[in-house]
Amino acid sequence: MDVDAAWLPAEAFRAVGRRRSLVPAGGLVDTVRRELVDACERFGGRVVREDAELVFELTEGLGEEGFALTRRDGITTVTASDERGLLYGLFHVVRLGEEAFAGDRPREEHRPAYARRMLDHWDNVAVHPVMGQVERGYSGGSLFWADGRARGDWERVRAYGRLLAACGINAVTVNNVNVHETEARLLTDRIGDVAAIADVLRPYGIRTHLSVTFAAPVVLGGPPTADPLDGAVRDWWARATDAVYGAIADFGGYVVKADSEGRPGPFAYGRSHADGANMLAAALEPYGGTVHWRAFVYDHHQDWRDRGTDRARAAYDHFTPLDGRFAKNAVLQVKHGPMDFQVREPVSPLIGAMPRTRLAVELQVTQEYTGQQRHACWLGPMWSEVLGFRPDGEVSTGRLAHELVAVSNVGDDPFWTGHPLAQANLYTFGRLAWNPAADPRAILDEWIALTHPGADDRLTAGLHTVLDGSWSTYEKYTAPLGVGFMVQPGHHYGPGVDGYEYSPWGTYHFADRDGVGVDRSTGTGTGYAGQYATPWSGLYDSPATCPDDLLLFFHHVPYTHVLPSGKTVIQHIYDTHFEGVAEVEEARRVWTGLAGLVEPARHARVAERYEEQLRGAREWRDQINSYFLRKSGVPDERGRTIY
Amino acid sequence: MDVDAAWLPAEAFRAVGRRRSLVPAGGLVDTVRRELVDACERFGGRVVREDAELVFELTEGLGEEGFALTRRDGITTVTASDERGLLYGLFHVVRLGEEAFAGDRPREEHRPAYARRMLDHWDNVAVHPVMGQVERGYSGGSLFWADGRARGDWERVRAYGRLLAACGINAVTVNNVNVHETEARLLTDRIGDVAAIADVLRPYGIRTHLSVTFAAPVVLGGPPTADPLDGAVRDWWARATDAVYGAIADFGGYVVKADSEGRPGPFAYGRSHADGANMLAAALEPYGGTVHWRAFVYDHHQDWRDRGTDRARAAYDHFTPLDGRFAKNAVLQVKHGPMDFQVREPVSPLIGAMPRTRLAVELQVTQEYTGQQRHACWLGPMWSEVLGFRPDGEVSTGRLAHELVAVSNVGDDPFWTGHPLAQANLYTFGRLAWNPAADPRAILDEWIALTHPGADDRLTAGLHTVLDGSWSTYEKYTAPLGVGFMVQPGHHYGPGVDGYEYSPWGTYHFADRDGVGVDRSTGTGTGYAGQYATPWSGLYDSPATCPDDLLLFFHHVPYTHVLPSGKTVIQHIYDTHFEGVAEVEEARRVWTGLAGLVEPARHARVAERYEEQLRGAREWRDQINSYFLRKSGVPDERGRTIY
């Protein structure tokens, strides 16, 4: 198979493959066994029945998916209470390499922070005339689907499952939340296609989920209504779900985008989103399935003239009154920020405001607004910040929500992710979902070491350099100070400062000749800041205490407003935009210097992307700077060229 | 057939249908005969062999398509030197109605000013994923094509041909100038589809033309190059053209968009556009065919930072050096303005600058930038101005160019044109192509009378009112003072003030906090004004003498610049935008008052469109006014609401 090995090159298994290993048989453990057999074939070890140096054992007390590692008397032992725990333990040993076999090690226990660590694929079965095969996909076609049918490349799906297991992901939704005509039928007569994917992913501890349309009964020949309180509708869903579990016994459940951006939902019948979600939850409940109900509900027919309506408020305003009304197996899936995966947003105030509801936080691994895998932008630090946020301002090592979900960045591209360095985002998401308290930079180094076994210091340092600061770099040359959007409408790539300024989508910056930003304060603004608990509401409510990087998200300020740095807002805009481009130039220079140390095709692909990133960064810099110079009339203090 | 009769309702033939008519037989005259027979059946007249009140006769001396009308001794006589002349004479008599049979009439002669009066259909054979069945079409699907095949609705095509003949159009191009894969094959194995259309249009005096791709030899399995000086390529085209004429003996010729917006062309081979056009002209010459070579060649990868490059200059700069180098049967097809069918543009300086080249002026009947047939915008006055322009500033009744071409606004909509009032645009184009010196308002009244036979004064006056000023109204609420664009990218509907401001398409307004407009003067600007001959170059070159309505096309001026009206530019912007909306409100009111006088379905359709036009006009007003208020900081003198 002509696909990149990503973070599982054969060489990464050298330490394991040199050992005599003992592993029980049966079920998912066979996946562990197969990994060991393959590695030993290559590196000279053996899978044995006794006298092993590496022992895998099932035992009690470690919980679902957890595992422990010890090394004593020359024997490294992985114990777990279920088979998935052994699988995760194996990949832990792979990550440790020779270190797992050097001297004694005190017992260490590992348990996932989030029980469900899920990837949503926005993959269409039939090519959508505007959105293509994969909506917001920047990595070619879909792994699962091609031109209206199952793609049937099961070796690649298997390799994908293996990569996901190695970073800890245990649930996958196989189709886009925007469910069109062809995709609707996956629920019924085309469930076999889903079952085939589930069969391939199951050995890697991954459960399969399905996006469904709320209008399924209507569009699939059931009752002429989708009213969630209608008995015939409930029966239809119960029967449909029976059939799904007949085909996939460990099916994970449904994902639904309802009453959002034109999708059908319970509003049409005067029912609440709790009514809608609970109907599906009831159908899934007998089988232990879950419905993921997306909270991305807002008015996308807003009037830009009306400064009182605020899209940022929508999810909170809409869902908090429903707290406590969702079934136990209904999960409300909330985007991490109140808008839509911008390079910088505050954490959604909905998170923390629904204590009696199961919440999943949704991140976006696919780089829709962060360079679309043509720009290097490693999102680990952003996610780490989000996952470390506590609605009450307290420090805690616990979870931010009940589950973690992300939109996949993978396609049929030979490098999986279009930009080879974007593999790091997928890996980091999985590892943070397991342990959100981990230092993202340590995860980055882990990814570097696994992906490039035997890398010398120069390569390791170079890779770390170009990725570590890349999110900050991207932020510098795009929309400033948390204001967001300023992208081209539709495809969302490249600058369009006023692209959404007079649009019905509710995404504004209100720049005029005097200042810029959205007043979301409680006094003079939309009141959004008041949706937060103390201390955040107070901090965000005043320009004096609002964090710089969110200043324009919360406040409309004059261009002459002075930031804590001592710079005015306008000078900050100019400076960061020049800096951002300089940082891309530097990253490109570093990358060029790694030629010869990285596999040539990979090096060439990344080098190409840097050309485009540099072109794009300059375009962003010049459009943003020119826009604000033309509007403010304030010249750059340093006299640089602004067009 | 459930299609609107447009300007040929049966009732329009009452006067003719009451008479005894004499008409020769054979050829195209049979079309005249059939019209007379149909009309007489309905209204009691007869086609007779003697003792006629209305006589059609072939005679010498009236030239191609010309005709004469006389009435003496109770006999109305139409004479012509060819059959088409008789056909146009018939429709002239229809327009006159009873007036053609009242008292004596001195001999009047009518000859078309333009020998070719052509409509280009931007119809795709296969539905284009972005552009749909008809590119820039706002009237449903195509008359000719559906989903990759000939549509086969020949009755509708026949009715279309009849409407075109009745307004004087005599040439039609059946497919889009952007020729994709399916359309390319119309030239070869699918020429039968074109022949079938030609057969239906021929009785109405219409010749059929075909858009071809310059890369045809390559994409259709000929030589691996399309180099126009390559012998094998020339042979391929000669053979292909032989076959075309085998299928359609009176085939009109090819239309080509080359080296434009991504289309292939001779540049790829280091050849000139004259080389490219002449190769096709050579293939067509033996059969009397013509190649129409579009002059819409410009750099659509411009850099907005570079204020020296000016898209407006492109056609002139590119084509004037080729003057005298095009074959006799090659026609250079030039858009009437230097940009792209904006609501206001100067006449292209290329027209008049190529005395040794046959030129066709291209107008756009489809309302791409003038409301997309959702807004009423009758373009007669605009075209009349264009056609009355003389490059040397002299007064002349002659032609502006050799031919007149327009992009069709017709589709499979029951009203033909989406907006029923947009029928007036198609009719007006045809009539102006016959006689560009005609008063467009008289043509409008002619259209009103034909379309609504027996209309009372209130209806006639109402229709005249809502259409007569509609172009000026549209101009008032959209981009001001000739600056152009400010539309949403891609679909071009609705305001997007900065939509193209930082784009590679070369369409800028350069608004900053002090002023707005494009400096195209010879002194400080792009020099475009210097492409005109005296007196225009001088007039356009100075803000003091430049016509108001083109001020921002030629000059960048401060918002405080005072217009001859005594208003500042900024106040002019505010005032015209409020006026434009008020005028739409008034037109809607007038239209509402016509209920009961207009056929109900037609009235309802127009009423719906007025709702959308009013919504759209308010959106334009508010976005433009807010944009300039935010930028200039100058308040409205009259204190009206600007958001």
Side-chain angles (χ1 to χ4, degrees):
Chain A
M1 191 176 46
D2 200 8
V3 179
D4 190 60
W7 50 87
L8 290 182
E11 191 60 29
F13 289 77
R14 173 175 293 277
V16 166
R18 291 173 55 209
R19 263 68 200 190
R20 294 188 308 281
S21 298
L22 188 152
V23 60
L28 235 59
V29 187
D30 281 345
T31 307
V32 178
R33 172 179 292 269
R34 189 163 62 177
E35 292 288 341
L36 291 170
V37 168
D38 286 354
C40 289
E41 262 181 27
R42 181 177 300 259
F43 296 109
R46 271 206 303 144
V47 177
V48 297
R49 299 189 177 218
E50 54 186 15
D51 194 22
E53 303 163 82
L54 173 58
V55 175
F56 291 85
E57 277 180 1
L58 286 166
T59 174
E60 296 294 309
L62 283 158
E64 286 192 21
E65 304 188 314
F67 65 90
L69 178 75
T70 47
R71 179 170 172 85
R72 195 180 305 161
D73 304 331
I75 299 174
T76 301
T77 306
V78 176
T79 54
S81 300
D82 63 13
E83 298 162 343
R84 286 179 292 162
L86 291 186
L87 184 62
Y88 295 127
L90 165 70
F91 288 116
H92 185 68
V93 174
V94 169
R95 281 191 293 271
L96 290 172
E98 285 298 338
E99 196 188 319
F101 305 98
D104 284 1
R105 290 179 75 90
R107 176 182 170 88
E108 47 183 279
E109 289 191 7
H110 298 266
R111 290 185 170 86
Y114 291 91
R116 184 148 24 213
R117 306 171 300 280
M118 183 159 170
L119 270 189
D120 282 358
H121 278 260
W122 286 356
D123 296 16
N124 298 312
V125 178
V127 176
H128 186 275
V130 176
M131 292 301 182
Q133 187 83 59
V134 180
E135 181 160 334
R136 309 303 179 190
Y138 313 105
S139 308
S142 165
L143 287 179
F144 302 133
W145 316 102
D147 295 325
R149 287 183 296 276
R151 186 188 173 85
D153 186 352
W154 304 117
E155 267 314 289
R156 200 189 288 233
V157 176
R158 199 187 72 78
Y160 183 51
R162 191 169 167 253
L163 286 171
L164 296 189
C167 68
I169 289 161
N170 68 359
V172 161
T173 307
V174 296
N175 64 310
N176 187 4
V177 290
N178 291 320
V179 178
H180 304 287
E181 202 183 329
T182 305
E183 293 76 16
R185 294 171 49 213
L186 293 177
L187 176 66
T188 52
D189 55 316
R190 297 186 62 168
I191 190 67
D193 289 347
V194 183
I197 297 171
D199 288 346
V200 177
L201 295 179
R202 187 174 296 110
Y204 296 97
I206 297 165
R207 282 176 87 175
T208 296
H209 297 243
L210 184 68
S211 292
V212 297
T213 169
F214 192 77
V218 180
V219 300
L220 292 169
T225 167
D227 181 351
L229 300 191
D230 183 297
V233 172
R234 299 176 73 86
D235 287 350
W236 187 91
W237 277 106
R239 281 197 309 277
T241 306
D242 287 350
V244 168
Y245 278 91
I248 310 168
D250 63 348
F251 178 69
Y254 301 134
V255 178
V256 186
K257 175 178 179 179
D259 291 316
S260 170
E261 300 184 327
R263 300 282 92 207
F267 286 168
Y269 308 99
R271 312 301 184 189
S272 76
H273 276 230
D275 294 332
N278 291 348
M279 171 191 63
L280 297 177
L284 290 159
E285 196 277 332
Y287 301 101
T290 303
V291 57
H292 285 82
W293 191 267
R294 293 180 85 234
F296 188 51
V297 176
Y298 70 99
D299 177 6
H300 68 289
H301 297 292
Q302 253 176 258
D303 190 332
W304 59 271
R305 300 169 188 82
D306 164 22
R307 290 207 187 188
T309 304
D310 181 2
R311 170 169 164 183
R313 293 186 58 114
Y316 181 100
D317 285 344
H318 182 72
F319 282 100
T320 52
L322 299 177
D323 189 31
R325 291 183 46 201
F326 284 93
K328 283 221 173 83
N329 62 328
V331 174
L332 192 63
Q333 186 166 321
V334 185
K335 292 191 182 196
H336 68 83
M339 298 298 278
D340 192 19
F341 301 131
Q342 300 304 292
V343 69
R344 176 77 68 172
E345 292 187 38
V347 173
S348 169
L350 186 58
I351 301 165
M354 297 191 69
R356 294 178 296 155
T357 306
R358 292 184 68 83
L359 291 191
V361 170
E362 181 179 307
L363 308 173
Q364 195 183 40
V365 183
T366 193
Q367 293 169 237
E368 177 177 357
Y369 294 99
T370 50
Q372 302 197 351
Q373 282 128 261
R374 286 178 264 186
H375 298 219
C377 183
W378 174 61
L379 295 165
M382 185 217 263
W383 298 332
S384 180
E385 277 185 34
V386 168
L387 297 173
F389 180 87
R390 289 298 166 270
D392 57 4
E394 296 298 312
V395 175
S396 155
T397 56
R399 296 172 309 180
L400 179 62
H402 295 80
E403 301 191 357
L404 219 49
V405 179
V407 184
S408 169
N409 67 343
V410 163
D412 71 354
D413 175 68
F415 290 101
W416 298 95
T417 52
H419 197 312
L421 299 180
Q423 292 175 0
N425 280 326
L426 182 58
Y427 184 84
T428 302
F429 165 71
R431 298 288 289 142
L432 281 175
W434 182 283
N435 179 15
D439 176 358
R441 284 164 187 84
I443 295 176
L444 174 61
D445 288 336
E446 202 177 277
W447 173 79
I448 291 170
L450 276 174
T451 305
H452 307 84
D456 66 8
D457 288 353
R458 213 174 107 223
L459 176 57
T460 301
L463 285 161
H464 189 99
T465 300
V466 298
L467 283 172
D468 187 11
S470 58
W471 171 50
S472 159
T473 298
Y474 189 84
E475 184 176 21
K476 283 182 179 176
Y477 62 76
T478 57
L481 295 163
V483 77
F485 282 86
M486 299 192 168
V487 293
Q488 295 277 334
H491 57 67
H492 298 161
Y493 186 72
V497 183
D498 275 359
Y500 280 96
E501 190 59 12
Y502 302 92
S503 88
W505 297 89
T507 52
Y508 312 119
H509 55 68
F510 299 121
D512 61 21
R513 70 194 328 246
D514 302 316
V516 58
V518 186
D519 185 353
R520 293 188 162 105
S521 70
T522 55
T524 53
T526 69
Y528 167 80
Q531 290 187 341
Y532 289 88
T534 313
W536 300 111
S537 55
L539 282 171
Y540 290 150
D541 210 29
S542 158
T545 52
C546 180
D548 261 23
D549 47 27
L550 291 170
L551 181 64
L552 301 184
F553 191 88
F554 283 101
H555 300 283
H556 187 92
V557 300
Y559 294 118
T560 52
H561 176 91
V562 178
L563 298 168
S565 63
K567 284 182 187 173
T568 60
V569 164
I570 188 72
Q571 193 60 40
H572 174 91
I573 291 174
Y574 297 150
D575 287 352
T576 50
H577 284 78
F578 284 107
E579 282 164 30
V581 172
E583 288 172 17
V584 176
E585 284 166 347
E586 172 61 13
R588 185 180 64 152
R589 194 193 61 75
V590 170
W591 184 261
T592 304
L594 300 181
L597 302 180
V598 180
E599 191 254 316
R602 188 186 200 83
H603 190 274
R605 171 78 76 95
V606 173
E608 270 169 40
R609 305 264 155 161
Y610 269 118
E611 293 306 312
E612 168 59 15
Q613 182 171 5
L614 186 54
R615 187 206 61 76
R618 287 174 175 154
E619 193 63 34
W620 270 100
R621 174 195 66 195
D622 291 340
Q623 285 201 29
I624 298 266
N625 284 350
S626 290
Y627 180 95
F628 284 107
L629 175 63
R630 287 191 191 177
K631 227 158 194 163
S632 72
V634 180
D636 174 32
E637 279 174 4
R638 296 170 56 187
R640 292 162 290 198
T641 302
I642 299 179
Y643 296 90
Chain B
M1 190 176 46
D2 203 8
V3 178
D4 191 60
W7 51 86
L8 290 182
E11 192 60 27
F13 290 77
R14 175 175 291 276
V16 165
R18 291 173 55 209
R19 262 72 198 187
R20 294 186 310 279
S21 298
L22 189 151
V23 60
L28 234 61
V29 187
D30 283 345
T31 307
V32 177
R33 172 179 292 270
R34 188 163 64 178
E35 291 289 340
L36 291 170
V37 169
D38 287 353
C40 289
E41 261 181 27
R42 183 177 298 261
F43 296 108
R46 270 205 302 146
V47 177
V48 295
R49 298 190 177 215
E50 53 185 14
D51 194 21
E53 304 165 81
L54 173 58
V55 176
F56 290 85
E57 277 178 1
L58 285 167
T59 175
E60 294 295 308
L62 284 157
E64 284 192 21
E65 304 188 314
F67 65 89
L69 179 75
T70 47
R71 181 170 171 84
R72 194 182 307 165
D73 304 330
I75 299 174
T76 301
T77 306
V78 176
T79 52
S81 302
D82 64 13
E83 299 162 343
R84 287 179 292 162
L86 292 186
L87 184 61
Y88 294 128
L90 165 69
F91 287 116
H92 184 66
V93 174
V94 169
R95 282 191 294 270
L96 289 173
E98 286 298 338
E99 197 188 320
F101 304 98
D104 283 2
R105 290 179 75 91
R107 177 182 170 90
E108 47 185 279
E109 288 191 8
H110 298 267
R111 289 185 170 85
Y114 291 91
R116 185 149 22 215
R117 306 171 300 280
M118 182 160 170
L119 271 188
D120 282 358
H121 278 260
W122 287 355
D123 296 18
N124 297 311
V125 177
V127 177
H128 186 275
V130 175
M131 291 301 180
Q133 187 83 58
V134 181
E135 181 158 335
R136 309 304 180 191
Y138 314 106
S139 309
S142 165
L143 288 179
F144 302 131
W145 316 103
D147 294 325
R149 286 185 297 276
R151 187 188 174 84
D153 185 352
W154 303 117
E155 267 314 289
R156 201 189 287 235
V157 175
R158 200 186 71 79
Y160 182 52
R162 192 169 165 255
L163 287 170
L164 297 189
C167 68
I169 288 161
N170 69 358
V172 160
T173 306
V174 297
N175 66 310
N176 188 5
V177 290
N178 291 318
V179 177
H180 304 287
E181 201 182 328
T182 305
E183 292 76 17
R185 293 172 50 214
L186 293 177
L187 177 66
T188 51
D189 55 317
R190 295 185 64 168
I191 190 67
D193 289 348
V194 183
I197 297 171
D199 288 345
V200 178
L201 295 179
R202 188 174 296 110
Y204 297 98
I206 297 164
R207 282 176 87 174
T208 297
H209 297 242
L210 183 68
S211 292
V212 297
T213 170
F214 193 77
V218 179
V219 301
L220 293 169
T225 167
D227 181 349
L229 301 191
D230 183 296
V233 172
R234 300 176 72 86
D235 287 349
W236 187 91
W237 276 106
R239 281 196 309 277
T241 305
D242 287 348
V244 168
Y245 279 90
I248 311 168
D250 63 347
F251 178 70
Y254 301 134
V255 178
V256 187
K257 174 177 178 179
D259 291 316
S260 170
E261 299 183 330
R263 301 282 92 205
F267 286 168
Y269 308 99
R271 312 302 183 189
S272 76
H273 277 230
D275 294 332
N278 292 346
M279 170 191 63
L280 297 176
L284 289 159
E285 197 274 333
Y287 300 102
T290 304
V291 57
H292 286 83
W293 191 268
R294 293 181 84 234
F296 189 51
V297 175
Y298 68 99
D299 178 6
H300 68 289
H301 296 292
Q302 253 177 260
D303 190 331
W304 60 271
R305 300 169 189 82
D306 164 21
R307 291 207 187 189
T309 304
D310 181 1
R311 170 169 163 182
R313 294 186 57 115
Y316 182 99
D317 285 345
H318 183 70
F319 283 99
T320 52
L322 299 177
D323 189 30
R325 291 184 46 202
F326 285 94
K328 282 221 173 87
N329 63 328
V331 174
L332 192 63
Q333 186 166 321
V334 186
K335 293 191 182 195
H336 67 83
M339 298 299 279
D340 191 18
F341 301 131
Q342 301 305 292
V343 69
R344 176 77 66 174
E345 292 188 37
V347 173
S348 169
L350 186 57
I351 301 167
M354 297 190 71
R356 293 178 296 153
T357 307
R358 292 185 68 82
L359 292 190
V361 169
E362 181 179 306
L363 307 173
Q364 195 183 41
V365 183
T366 193
Q367 294 170 235
E368 177 176 359
Y369 293 99
T370 50
Q372 302 196 351
Q373 283 128 261
R374 285 178 266 187
H375 297 219
C377 185
W378 174 61
L379 295 165
M382 184 215 263
W383 297 332
S384 180
E385 278 185 33
V386 168
L387 297 174
F389 180 87
R390 289 298 166 270
D392 57 4
E394 297 297 312
V395 175
S396 155
T397 55
R399 297 171 310 179
L400 180 62
H402 296 80
E403 301 190 358
L404 219 49
V405 179
V407 184
S408 169
N409 67 344
V410 163
D412 71 355
D413 175 67
F415 291 101
W416 297 96
T417 52
H419 198 313
L421 299 180
Q423 292 175 0
N425 280 326
L426 183 56
Y427 184 83
T428 303
F429 166 70
R431 298 288 288 143
L432 281 175
W434 182 283
N435 179 15
D439 176 357
R441 283 165 189 86
I443 296 175
L444 175 61
D445 288 336
E446 200 178 277
W447 173 79
I448 291 172
L450 276 175
T451 306
H452 306 84
D456 66 8
D457 288 352
R458 213 175 107 225
L459 176 55
T460 301
L463 285 161
H464 189 98
T465 300
V466 298
L467 283 171
D468 187 12
S470 58
W471 171 50
S472 159
T473 299
Y474 189 84
E475 183 175 21
K476 283 182 179 177
Y477 62 74
T478 57
L481 296 165
V483 76
F485 282 88
M486 299 193 168
V487 293
Q488 295 277 334
H491 56 67
H492 298 162
Y493 186 72
V497 183
D498 275 359
Y500 280 96
E501 190 57 14
Y502 302 93
S503 87
W505 297 90
T507 52
Y508 313 118
H509 55 68
F510 300 121
D512 61 21
R513 70 195 328 248
D514 301 315
V516 58
V518 187
D519 186 352
R520 293 189 162 105
S521 68
T522 55
T524 54
T526 68
Y528 167 78
Q531 289 186 340
Y532 289 87
T534 313
W536 300 111
S537 56
L539 283 171
Y540 290 150
D541 209 29
S542 158
T545 52
C546 181
D548 261 22
D549 47 27
L550 291 170
L551 181 65
L552 301 184
F553 191 88
F554 283 101
H555 300 282
H556 187 92
V557 300
Y559 295 118
T560 53
H561 176 89
V562 179
L563 298 168
S565 65
K567 284 182 186 175
T568 60
V569 164
I570 187 73
Q571 192 59 39
H572 173 91
I573 291 173
Y574 298 151
D575 288 351
T576 50
H577 284 78
F578 283 106
E579 283 164 27
V581 172
E583 289 172 14
V584 176
E585 285 167 346
E586 172 61 13
R588 185 180 64 153
R589 195 193 61 74
V590 170
W591 183 261
T592 304
L594 300 181
L597 303 180
V598 180
E599 192 253 316
R602 186 186 200 82
H603 190 274
R605 171 77 77 93
V606 174
E608 270 170 41
R609 305 264 155 159
Y610 269 118
E611 293 307 312
E612 167 59 15
Q613 181 171 3
L614 185 54
R615 186 206 63 72
R618 287 174 176 154
E619 194 62 35
W620 270 101
R621 175 195 65 193
D622 291 341
Q623 286 201 30
I624 297 267
N625 283 350
S626 290
Y627 180 95
F628 284 106
L629 175 63
R630 287 190 192 177
K631 227 158 195 166
S632 72
V634 180
D636 173 33
E637 278 174 4
R638 297 171 54 186
R640 292 161 292 198
T641 302
I642 299 177
Y643 297 90

